[in-house]
Structures are given as structure tokens and as C-alpha cells.
Amino acid sequence: MASFKIALLFGVVAFVSACSQAPGTTTTTMTTTVTTVSADDGGEAGLLSAHERSLIRKTWDQAKKDGDVAPQVLFRFVKAHPEYQKMFSKFANVPQAELLSNGNFLAQAYTILAGLNVVIQSLSSQELMANQLNALGGAHKPRGATPVMFEQFGGILEEVLGEELGSGFTAEARQAWKNGLAALVAGISKNLKKAEDLADPQTKLTPHQIQDVQRSWENIRNGRNAIVSSIFVKLFKETPRIQKFFAKFANVAVDSLAGNAEYEKQVALVADRLDTMISAMGDKLQLLGNVNYMRYTHTERGIPRAPWEDFSRLLLDVLGAKGVSSDDLDSWKGVLTVFVNGISPRS
């Protein structure tokens, strides 16, 4: 099974590599490390039997004779999922009605065809090492490739093959392809990012981070005033000049702050603002509005970035002391970094 999964991955990786390019990149990368193409040895190869491998080769050899197969697969893919077209820098803004006559689009389609052609003929090669599956998955994780993208692409490939081959794409052949594509997705899912781990391009937050932070905050938010007060006290003791930004209690001794009306009012204001921002993370416009408001009001007061970073550090300490898990703390770190960068960008 590992041999098959790697081989098929190399074919589809041409698609993922291209759609994951940074804007302006002109090179399409297809990774193939097949060193030999051997004939089927007649044995079993994990999930796929020798007969299934033979069916895949046979149906592919028939389908690839039609030069329209590759463009149709890619066209249907971006038509069904228009958001993915933006990942292909060379034809990101080409109207869909013009794609099938666009040179860059056709070049990408035939790159995928070439990759699939090579690897399908290599299904039985024992030269394809299993550890490369993990290597490829790891390499594409930072590019934003997801298992869902592979599933969707494979489904459309199967659909086009069925239309192209008609009765020649028997139920047995279709099942062989289903088995192969399922093996592909299963093999790379553990390394590629899931949808919940993809950051929003504007807020820079992932659904996973938002869920972790909101869930853990809900457990302690009723004590948010005490949390903020404890952070202020530590902050003012560590860096006394920070207290000077709060004119109404700038000269009150730190140990005497508790009970001071102006101090308690400021603590409640900060605690409620933090609560509002955390609650707003699922609403992009509301969150960005809160961050921009904080940036505007605090820039006027001349508050530098360092106190925000220190506040975040101390908040993480408090969260850890209150039993927030290490996984949730990682999400908190990411969220607080986004908050700080929004409120007080690095100069």
C-alpha cells in the first residue's frame, strides 16, 4: 500500500505544488523520485491487488489518448472550487470561460497528465520508498495544501474517467481507482493541514486557534478582572514606567492599587475589552474593528509595543497556572501575537 500511495501522490503533487506557489512564481514543480519502472510482479501490494493495479493502468492508458482529459479534469476542479483558481498564479484571474483556451492553464493541465502517466506505470516499483510519503506531506503542509483538496481532485478525476471511458470504466475499475485515491488521502492526511488549521488571510487566525481560546477563556472569564489586576501588578513592579501611562493612578504605590477606584475602573475596562475581542474572533469585521480601535486609541497615548508583549507574556503565565492545557496555550500564543501585531505593529 505504501508503494502505491507514494506513486499516486507524485502524480497529484504536480497539482498541489503548482497551486501552492507564492504569487508571482512562474515555475511549476512536479516531484518524481521514481528510479525504475518495472513490470507488475504479479504479487499483492497491500490495499491494491495486482489485478487492481492492472485495471488502473489499462483504464489510464485508454483515457490519456484523448488530449482533452487533462484539461477537463483541471477545468472542472477550478469550476467546482473557484477559490482554488486563485492559487494558480499564472491563470488566477483568467475568466473561467477562457481557461480551456489559455496557454498557461493548458500547460498546467498537461503537467499533471505527465505526472500521472509516469507514476501509474510505476505502481509496482519497489524503489518508491514509503518514507517519502511523509516527506512530501510535510513539505506541502506549510503551503496550505489540505487533504480535502486531494479528495476533491480525485473525485473529479474519477468522474472524467467515467465519462471518457463509458462502459469501459467498469464497476471493478472504478473501485480500483477509489481504493487508490482513498489510500492517497489517508497517507497524506496526517501531514497536511486541515481546513481548521488554515489561517484567515485578514485576521491571521485559524478556526482551531479561535476554538481553543474561546473554549478555555469561557472557563475563566468570570474572574477576568482579578486576572487583569494580577497582571497589572506584576507589570508595574517589573517595569515601573509603564504605570506612568495611567495618569489617574500613576503615582499610587503598586501595593496600594487594590481598592483604588480609578485603578479598578481601568482593570474592568481592560478585562472587558479583552473579553470582547476574544468573543469577536469568529466575526472578522468585528474583530478587526476592535483591533483597529485599540491601535488608534493607544497610539495617541504613545504606548509602545513592549508593554503589550509583556502583558501577553504574563497573561500566558496566568493561563498556565489556571490549568489551561499546553495545546490551548499554543493557540493563545498565536492569538495574542495577532492581537499585539494589530494593536502595535513592529516599526
Side-chain angles (χ1 to χ4, degrees):
M1 180 173 69
S3 175
F4 169 75
K5 288 190 292 186
I6 298 170
L8 190 53
L9 176 60
F10 288 145
V12 184
V13 79
F15 151 69
V16 179
S17 295
C19 75
S20 305
Q21 290 173 8
T25 302
T26 59
T27 301
T28 297
T29 301
M30 179 177 67
T31 304
T32 57
T33 58
V34 180
T35 56
T36 62
V37 179
S38 62
D40 201 311
D41 59 10
E44 299 298 310
L47 182 64
L48 286 181
S49 67
H51 182 56
E52 286 175 316
R53 297 197 299 272
S54 176
L55 284 172
I56 290 173
R57 288 199 190 95
K58 180 180 179 181
T59 49
W60 179 247
D61 285 344
Q62 292 172 337
K64 71 181 181 181
K65 294 176 182 178
D66 186 343
D68 290 335
V69 167
Q72 277 299 321
V73 172
L74 186 55
F75 176 73
R76 293 191 192 186
F77 181 76
V78 297
K79 185 177 181 180
H81 310 284
E83 66 276 18
Y84 295 157
Q85 185 177 340
K86 298 300 181 182
M87 298 179 177
F88 294 89
S89 61
K90 281 295 194 176
F91 51 89
N93 299 313
V94 176
Q96 285 193 350
E98 300 175 14
L99 284 175
L100 288 172
S101 60
N102 180 272
N104 289 320
F105 174 85
L106 293 173
Q108 182 56 53
Y110 290 119
T111 296
I112 295 172
L113 174 69
L116 282 169
N117 186 57
V118 170
V119 299
I120 287 173
Q121 300 307 318
S122 308
L123 289 181
S124 301
S125 174
Q126 298 305 309
E127 301 294 331
L128 298 171
M129 299 176 65
N131 62 359
Q132 293 196 48
L133 180 64
N134 288 333
L136 279 172
H140 287 83
K141 182 176 180 178
R143 302 180 189 179
T146 68
V148 171
M149 291 168 65
F150 282 89
E151 290 175 349
Q152 293 165 338
F153 187 79
I156 290 173
L157 172 60
E158 180 188 328
E159 176 186 293
V160 172
L161 288 174
E163 294 177 7
E164 176 66 24
L165 298 174
S167 60
F169 199 55
T170 63
E172 193 177 26
R174 184 182 295 273
Q175 190 59 51
W177 278 92
K178 284 183 181 295
N179 289 346
L181 292 169
L184 165 69
V185 175
I188 65 173
S189 290
K190 61 183 178 181
N191 288 312
L192 294 181
K193 288 185 178 179
K194 299 178 181 178
E196 61 266 28
D197 294 321
L198 297 177
D200 182 275
Q202 288 181 286
T203 66
K204 311 302 182 186
L205 297 176
T206 70
H208 182 76
Q209 289 174 319
I210 293 172
Q211 181 182 19
D212 285 351
V213 169
Q214 289 182 334
R215 184 189 64 252
S216 55
W217 178 248
E218 187 62 30
N219 295 329
I220 60 175
R221 65 183 296 271
N222 288 338
R224 60 187 180 276
N225 284 18
I227 291 174
V228 170
S229 183
S230 69
I231 292 172
F232 271 176
V233 168
K234 292 178 182 178
L235 193 59
F236 297 161
K237 287 184 175 181
E238 283 185 1
T239 314
R241 66 178 180 275
I242 294 178
Q243 188 176 343
K244 301 302 180 182
F245 287 109
F246 301 91
K248 294 182 178 181
F249 53 87
N251 298 314
V252 177
V254 175
D255 292 333
S256 300
L257 285 172
N260 179 281
E262 295 298 335
Y263 171 75
E264 298 295 350
K265 186 185 299 184
Q266 184 64 41
V267 165
L269 179 65
V270 172
D272 287 346
R273 178 63 63 179
L274 178 61
D275 184 57
T276 297
M277 292 177 68
I278 291 172
S279 298
M281 287 192 298
D283 186 323
K284 184 187 306 185
L285 292 179
Q286 188 179 353
L287 175 61
L288 294 175
N290 274 280
V291 170
N292 288 334
Y293 171 79
M294 293 286 288
R295 179 177 180 178
Y296 174 75
T297 56
H298 289 79
T299 298
E300 280 189 331
R301 295 170 59 190
I303 299 178
R305 180 184 174 89
W308 296 103
E309 294 177 328
D310 290 336
F311 185 93
S312 296
R313 170 177 53 82
L314 293 172
L315 176 56
L316 289 171
D317 290 344
V318 172
L319 293 171
K322 288 187 173 294
V324 174
S325 70
S326 59
D327 286 343
D328 286 352
L329 282 176
D330 285 339
S331 292
W332 272 96
K333 290 176 185 176
V335 167
L336 292 173
T337 297
V338 168
F339 285 179
V340 171
N341 288 338
I343 297 169
S344 185
R346 293 185 184 277
S347 56

